[in-house]
Amino acid sequence: MHRERELKESPSQTAGPYVHIGCTPNFAEITGVYPEDLGRVIAGPEAQGTRITVTGAIFDGTGTVLRDAMIEVWQADAAGRHPGHDPEADPSVTGFGRVASDGESGQWRIETVKPGSVPGPGGAQQAPHLTLWIVARGINLGLHTRMYFPDEAEANAADPVLARIEHRARVPTLIAREESPGAYRFDIHLQGAEETVFFDV
Amino acid sequence: MSDGAFFARDRSWHPPALTPPYRTSVVRSPSRAPISFPQTPSETTGPVFGHDILGPLDHDLIHNYAASGHSAIGPRIIVQGRVVDETGRGVPGALLEVWQANAGGRYRHKKEGYLAPLDPNFGGCGRCITDESGGYAFRTVQPGPYPWPNGGNDWRPAHIHFSVFGHGFAQRLITQMYFEGDPMIDLCPIVQTVPDPAGIAALTATLDMRNTVPMDSRAYRFDIVLRGRRQTLFENRKEGL
């Protein structure tokens, strides 16, 4: 019987403290190599949907803010279509964002449009969410998590991924706080009592 | 291109989150188990990058930061290989980003205080997109070992960081490439976070004399493996079928 060649995935290693040199060089003040950092625009000015901002910070197990993390975002457009995979997707939305924590305050901020609902397993609809991936010094394998919206309580209650979380008290770690209309706050805790739910996707 | 779910990640093959000899991991490692769920389009799709993002020198770190007519100082090398998935198929159109210290082990970063000097003609970043068969190549200078505040006398082996995008966000991977024969590899607490020596070997580039350019640059070979994915034939069948 034919058996396909099976290889092992390349093992992960930490992104280290200088991830910005390679991934956001203009942020790292290495200018003139790339015209702009990748993932700077998730949704251009012409994008359909409700414009939102998300700010946040990442904390370690002592409550200290990370000042050297990089966060990536992957999302659907306002109608729940993924750019590059659905020919009908909004051409003004890349769906991909990348932002570094501020080197002093540790704060990060993204501007985008609120994503639409995306299909989930078994034909269920998922609640609107941003998919996030976090790397930093001290993180050996990039951490996958999701940000959900506080104004989508009904959809969140029916979301098939949130439903996988046995310890219901941890579900709120994935739901952003709305500070003013369209302005969300999403803090991530790597370890400890408030530890954010991370996924093995 | 198939668009089924990715094979489950073997988390015992990757470094665990908590690896105390790499001290920063102690307070940056989640203490609770990650939660798994059947992959959805949020994981099986990912950003698609076209060649239009690439400048002509993006894959040439010897020249992409250098003043006109100048080049970076250090041993000139070519790093080349293939990006394949776990079934051995080439992964075309994958964006690779690399970053590294200069030949003296000094990074161009404002938080870096190592006394070895910057090279005015070396920035340390590069990128490329794999070809139809998954092949890629960079030109750069071999980075130097680099001391870091972990134990009292820890030094990183010479290494190049790699950021890899496959076809789905679940394939997203950042890793590091080491150089065959470097005695610092066995001493490094970051390398040693990889549990299996075969995993460390997989991150170690081999000297590639066949692709060495005589009187110009030595070549190293570094292949990268991303998660494979299932076929989709029976993934969404209805009840009773």
Side-chain angles (χ1 to χ4, degrees), chain B residues 128-181:
Chain B
C128 69
I129 293 176
T130 57
D131 65 21
E132 308 74 38
S133 64
Y136 77 90
F138 290 101
R139 178 157 64 170
T140 186
V141 293
Q142 189 167 18
Y146 159 77
W148 58 301
N150 186 65
N153 185 24
D154 281 333
W155 294 73
R156 299 301 323 283
H159 64 282
I160 299 176
H161 297 263
F162 274 72
S163 160
V164 190
F165 289 84
H167 295 162
F169 209 54
Q171 284 179 306
R172 195 74 182 86
L173 182 71
I174 282 181
T175 190
Q176 301 184 30
M177 184 201 100
Y178 305 103
F179 290 86
E180 180 179 20

Coordinates of all heavy atoms in Angstrom, one line a residue, chain B residues 128-181:
Chain B
C128 N 11.1 36.9 1.3 CA 10.9 36.4 0.0 C 9.6 35.5 0.0 O 9.1 35.2 1.1 CB 12.1 35.6 -0.5 SG 12.3 34.0 0.3
I129 N 9.2 35.1 -1.2 CA 8.0 34.3 -1.3 C 8.4 33.0 -2.1 O 9.1 33.1 -3.1 CB 6.9 35.0 -2.1 CG1 6.4 36.2 -1.2 CG2 5.7 34.1 -2.5 CD1 5.3 37.1 -1.8
T130 N 8.0 31.9 -1.6 CA 8.4 30.6 -2.2 C 7.9 30.5 -3.7 O 6.8 31.0 -4.0 CB 8.0 29.4 -1.4 OG1 6.6 29.4 -1.3 CG2 8.7 29.4 -0.1
D131 N 8.7 29.8 -4.5 CA 8.3 29.6 -5.9 C 7.3 28.4 -6.0 O 6.8 27.9 -5.0 CB 9.5 29.4 -6.8 CG 10.3 28.1 -6.4 OD1 9.7 27.2 -5.8 OD2 11.5 28.1 -6.8
E132 N 7.0 28.0 -7.2 CA 6.0 27.0 -7.5 C 6.2 25.7 -6.8 O 5.3 25.0 -6.5 CB 5.8 26.7 -9.0 CG 5.6 28.0 -9.9 CD 6.9 28.8 -10.1 OE1 8.0 28.2 -10.2 OE2 6.8 30.0 -10.1
S133 N 7.5 25.4 -6.5 CA 7.8 24.1 -5.9 C 8.1 24.3 -4.4 O 8.5 23.3 -3.7 CB 9.0 23.5 -6.6 OG 10.2 24.3 -6.4
G134 N 8.0 25.5 -3.9 CA 8.2 25.8 -2.5 C 9.7 26.2 -2.2 O 10.1 26.4 -1.1
G135 N 10.4 26.4 -3.3 CA 11.8 26.8 -3.1 C 12.0 28.3 -2.7 O 11.2 29.1 -3.1
Y136 N 13.1 28.6 -2.0 CA 13.4 30.0 -1.6 C 14.9 30.1 -1.5 O 15.6 29.1 -1.4 CB 12.7 30.3 -0.3 CG 13.5 29.8 0.9 CD1 14.5 30.5 1.5 CD2 13.2 28.5 1.4 CE1 15.2 30.0 2.6 CE2 14.0 27.9 2.4 CZ 15.0 28.7 3.0 OH 15.7 28.2 4.1
A137 N 15.4 31.4 -1.5 CA 16.8 31.6 -1.3 C 17.0 33.0 -0.8 O 16.3 34.0 -1.2 CB 17.6 31.4 -2.6
F138 N 17.9 33.2 0.2 CA 18.4 34.5 0.7 C 19.9 34.6 0.5 O 20.6 33.6 0.4 CB 18.2 34.6 2.2 CG 16.7 34.7 2.6 CD1 16.0 33.6 3.1 CD2 16.1 35.9 2.5 CE1 14.7 33.7 3.5 CE2 14.8 36.1 2.9 CZ 14.1 35.0 3.4
R139 N 20.3 35.8 0.4 CA 21.8 36.1 0.5 C 22.0 37.0 1.7 O 21.3 37.9 1.9 CB 22.3 36.7 -0.8 CG 23.8 37.1 -0.7 CD 24.5 37.2 -2.0 NE 23.9 38.3 -2.7 CZ 24.4 38.8 -3.9 NH1 25.5 38.2 -4.4 NH2 23.9 39.8 -4.5
T140 N 23.0 36.6 2.5 CA 23.2 37.4 3.7 C 24.7 37.2 4.2 O 25.5 36.7 3.4 CB 22.2 37.0 4.8 OG1 22.4 37.9 5.9 CG2 22.4 35.6 5.3
V141 N 25.0 37.8 5.4 CA 26.3 37.4 6.0 C 26.0 36.5 7.2 O 24.9 36.6 7.8 CB 27.0 38.7 6.5 CG1 27.5 39.5 5.3 CG2 26.2 39.5 7.5
Q142 N 26.9 35.6 7.5 CA 26.6 34.7 8.6 C 26.7 35.5 9.9 O 27.6 36.2 10.1 CB 27.7 33.6 8.6 CG 27.4 32.5 9.6 CD 28.3 31.3 9.4 OE1 29.4 31.4 8.7 NE2 27.9 30.2 9.9
P143 N 25.6 35.4 10.7 CA 25.6 36.1 11.9 C 26.6 35.6 12.9 O 26.9 34.4 12.9 CB 24.1 35.9 12.4 CG 23.7 34.7 11.8 CD 24.4 34.6 10.5
G144 N 27.0 36.4 13.9 CA 27.9 36.0 14.9 C 27.1 35.5 16.1 O 25.9 35.8 16.3
P145 N 27.8 34.8 17.0 CA 27.1 34.4 18.3 C 26.9 35.7 19.1 O 27.5 36.7 18.9 CB 28.2 33.5 19.0 CG 29.3 33.3 18.1 CD 29.1 34.3 16.9
Y146 N 26.0 35.6 20.1 CA 25.5 36.8 20.7 C 25.2 36.5 22.2 O 24.6 35.5 22.6 CB 24.2 37.2 20.0 CG 23.3 38.1 20.7 CD1 23.5 39.4 20.9 CD2 22.1 37.5 21.3 CE1 22.7 40.2 21.6 CE2 21.2 38.4 22.0 CZ 21.5 39.7 22.1 OH 20.7 40.5 22.8
P147 N 25.8 37.3 23.1 CA 25.6 37.1 24.6 C 24.3 37.6 25.0 O 23.8 38.7 24.5 CB 26.8 37.8 25.2 CG 27.0 39.0 24.3 CD 26.7 38.5 22.9
W148 N 23.7 37.0 26.0 CA 22.4 37.5 26.4 C 22.2 37.2 27.9 O 22.8 36.3 28.5 CB 21.2 36.8 25.6 CG 21.1 35.3 25.6 CD1 22.1 34.4 25.2 CD2 20.0 34.5 26.1 NE1 21.7 33.2 25.4 CE2 20.4 33.2 25.9 CE3 18.8 34.9 26.6 CZ2 19.5 32.1 26.2 CZ3 17.9 33.8 26.9 CH2 18.3 32.5 26.7
P149 N 21.4 38.0 28.6 CA 21.2 38.0 30.0 C 20.3 36.9 30.4 O 19.1 37.1 30.5 CB 20.7 39.4 30.4 CG 20.0 39.8 29.2 CD 20.7 39.2 28.0
N150 N 20.7 35.7 30.6 CA 19.9 34.6 31.0 C 20.6 33.9 32.2 O 20.4 34.3 33.3 CB 19.7 33.6 29.8 CG 18.7 32.5 30.1 OD1 17.5 32.8 30.4 ND2 19.1 31.3 30.2
G151 N 21.5 33.0 31.9 CA 22.4 32.6 32.9 C 23.6 33.6 33.0 O 23.5 34.6 32.3
G152 N 24.6 33.3 33.8 CA 25.7 34.3 33.9 C 26.6 34.4 32.7 O 27.3 35.4 32.6
N153 N 26.5 33.4 31.9 CA 27.4 33.4 30.7 C 26.8 32.7 29.5 O 27.4 31.7 29.1 CB 28.8 32.8 31.1 CG 29.8 32.9 30.0 OD1 29.7 33.8 29.1 ND2 30.8 32.0 30.0
D154 N 25.6 33.1 29.1 CA 24.9 32.4 28.1 C 25.2 33.2 26.7 O 25.1 34.4 26.7 CB 23.4 32.3 28.3 CG 23.1 31.2 29.3 OD1 23.9 30.2 29.3 OD2 22.1 31.3 30.0
W155 N 25.4 32.4 25.7 CA 25.6 32.9 24.4 C 24.7 32.2 23.4 O 24.6 30.9 23.5 CB 27.0 32.7 23.9 CG 28.0 33.5 24.7 CD1 28.4 33.3 26.0 CD2 28.7 34.7 24.2 NE1 29.3 34.2 26.4 CE2 29.5 35.1 25.3 CE3 28.8 35.4 23.0 CZ2 30.4 36.2 25.2 CZ3 29.6 36.5 22.9 CH2 30.4 36.9 24.0
R156 N 24.0 32.9 22.6 CA 23.2 32.2 21.5 C 24.2 31.7 20.4 O 25.1 32.4 20.1 CB 22.2 33.2 20.8 CG 21.2 33.8 21.7 CD 20.2 32.8 22.4 NE 19.9 31.7 21.6 CZ 19.0 31.7 20.6 NH1 18.3 32.7 20.2 NH2 18.7 30.5 19.9
P157 N 23.9 30.5 19.9 CA 24.6 30.1 18.7 C 24.3 31.1 17.6 O 23.3 31.9 17.6 CB 24.0 28.8 18.4 CG 23.0 28.5 19.3 CD 22.8 29.7 20.2
A158 N 25.1 31.1 16.5 CA 24.8 31.9 15.3 C 23.4 31.4 14.9 O 23.2 30.2 14.8 CB 25.8 31.6 14.2
H159 N 22.5 32.3 14.6 CA 21.2 31.9 14.2 C 20.5 33.0 13.4 O 20.8 34.2 13.4 CB 20.3 31.6 15.4 CG 20.0 32.8 16.3 ND1 21.0 33.3 17.2 CD2 19.0 33.6 16.4 CE1 20.5 34.4 17.8 NE2 19.2 34.6 17.4
I160 N 19.6 32.5 12.6 CA 18.7 33.4 11.8 C 17.3 33.1 12.1 O 16.9 31.9 12.1 CB 18.9 33.2 10.2 CG1 20.4 33.5 9.9 CG2 18.0 34.0 9.4 CD1 20.8 33.3 8.4
H161 N 16.5 34.1 12.5 CA 15.1 33.9 12.8 C 14.3 33.8 11.5 O 14.5 34.6 10.6 CB 14.6 35.1 13.6 CG 15.2 35.3 14.9 ND1 14.7 34.8 16.1 CD2 16.4 35.9 15.3 CE1 15.4 35.1 17.1 NE2 16.5 35.8 16.7
F162 N 13.3 32.9 11.5 CA 12.4 32.7 10.3 C 11.0 32.9 10.8 O 10.5 32.2 11.7 CB 12.6 31.3 9.7 CG 13.7 31.2 8.7 CD1 15.0 31.2 9.1 CD2 13.4 31.1 7.4 CE1 16.0 31.1 8.2 CE2 14.4 30.9 6.4 CZ 15.8 30.9 6.8
S163 N 10.2 33.7 10.1 CA 8.8 33.8 10.2 C 8.2 33.3 8.9 O 8.5 33.7 7.8 CB 8.4 35.3 10.4 OG 7.0 35.5 10.1
V164 N 7.3 32.3 9.1 CA 6.7 31.6 7.9 C 5.2 31.7 7.9 O 4.5 31.3 8.9 CB 7.1 30.1 7.9 CG1 6.8 29.4 6.6 CG2 8.6 30.0 8.3
F165 N 4.7 32.1 6.7 CA 3.2 32.0 6.5 C 3.0 30.9 5.5 O 3.6 30.8 4.5 CB 2.7 33.3 5.8 CG 2.7 34.5 6.7 CD1 3.9 35.3 6.9 CD2 1.6 34.9 7.3 CE1 3.8 36.4 7.6 CE2 1.5 36.1 8.1 CZ 2.7 36.8 8.3
G166 N 2.1 30.0 5.9 CA 1.7 29.0 4.9 C 0.4 29.4 4.2 O 0.3 30.6 3.8
H167 N -0.6 28.6 4.0 CA -1.8 28.9 3.4 C -3.0 29.1 4.4 O -4.0 29.6 4.0 CB -2.2 27.8 2.4 CG -1.2 27.7 1.2 ND1 -1.2 26.6 0.4 CD2 -0.3 28.6 0.8 CE1 -0.2 26.8 -0.5 NE2 0.3 28.0 -0.3
G168 N -2.8 28.8 5.6 CA -3.8 29.0 6.6 C -3.2 29.5 7.9 O -2.0 29.3 8.2
F169 N -4.0 30.3 8.7 CA -3.4 30.9 9.8 C -2.9 29.9 10.9 O -2.1 30.2 11.7 CB -4.5 31.9 10.5 CG -3.9 33.1 11.2 CD1 -3.0 33.9 10.5 CD2 -4.2 33.3 12.5 CE1 -2.4 35.0 11.2 CE2 -3.7 34.4 13.1 CZ -2.8 35.3 12.5
A170 N -3.5 28.7 10.8 CA -3.1 27.6 11.8 C -1.7 27.1 11.5 O -1.1 26.5 12.3 CB -4.1 26.5 11.7
Q171 N -1.2 27.5 10.3 CA 0.2 27.0 9.9 C 1.3 28.1 10.4 O 2.4 27.8 10.2 CB 0.3 26.9 8.4 CG -0.3 25.6 7.8 CD -0.1 25.6 6.3 OE1 -0.5 26.5 5.6 NE2 0.4 24.5 5.8
R172 N 0.8 29.2 10.9 CA 1.7 30.3 11.2 C 2.8 29.7 12.1 O 2.6 29.1 13.1 CB 0.9 31.4 11.9 CG 1.6 32.7 12.0 CD 1.7 33.4 10.7 NE 2.4 34.7 10.9 CZ 3.7 34.8 10.9 NH1 4.5 33.7 10.6 NH2 4.3 35.9 11.2
L173 N 4.1 30.1 11.8 CA 5.2 29.5 12.5 C 6.3 30.5 12.6 O 6.7 31.2 11.5 CB 5.7 28.2 11.8 CG 6.9 27.5 12.5 CD1 6.4 26.9 13.8 CD2 7.5 26.5 11.6
I174 N 7.0 30.7 13.7 CA 8.2 31.4 13.9 C 9.2 30.4 14.4 O 8.9 29.7 15.4 CB 8.1 32.7 14.7 CG1 7.4 33.8 13.8 CG2 9.4 33.1 15.2 CD1 7.2 35.1 14.5
T175 N 10.4 30.4 13.8 CA 11.4 29.5 14.4 C 12.8 30.1 14.2 O 12.9 31.3 13.8 CB 11.3 28.1 13.7 OG1 12.2 27.2 14.4 CG2 11.6 28.1 12.2
Q176 N 13.9 29.3 14.4 CA 15.2 29.8 14.3 C 16.0 28.8 13.5 O 15.8 27.6 13.8 CB 15.9 30.2 15.6 CG 15.1 31.2 16.4 CD 15.7 31.6 17.7 OE1 17.0 31.6 17.8 NE2 14.9 32.0 18.7
M177 N 16.9 29.2 12.7 CA 17.8 28.4 12.0 C 19.2 28.4 12.6 O 19.7 29.5 12.8 CB 17.9 28.8 10.5 CG 18.7 27.9 9.6 SD 19.3 28.8 8.1 CE 21.0 29.2 8.6
Y178 N 19.8 27.3 12.8 CA 21.2 27.2 13.3 C 22.1 26.7 12.2 O 21.7 26.2 11.2 CB 21.2 26.4 14.6 CG 20.2 26.9 15.6 CD1 19.0 26.3 15.8 CD2 20.5 28.1 16.3 CE1 18.1 26.8 16.7 CE2 19.6 28.6 17.2 CZ 18.3 27.9 17.4 OH 17.4 28.5 18.2
F179 N 23.4 26.7 12.5 CA 24.4 26.3 11.5 C 25.1 25.0 11.9 O 25.6 24.9 13.1 CB 25.5 27.4 11.4 CG 24.9 28.7 10.7 CD1 24.3 29.7 11.4 CD2 25.0 28.8 9.3 CE1 23.8 30.8 10.8 CE2 24.5 30.0 8.7 CZ 23.9 30.9 9.4
E180 N 25.2 24.1 11.0 CA 25.9 22.8 11.2 C 27.2 23.0 11.9 O 28.0 23.8 11.4 CB 26.0 22.2 9.8 CG 26.7 20.8 9.9 CD 26.8 20.2 8.5 OE1 26.7 21.0 7.5 OE2 26.9 19.0 8.4
G181 N 27.5 22.2 12.9 CA 28.8 22.2 13.5 C 29.1 23.2 14.6 O 30.2 23.2 15.2

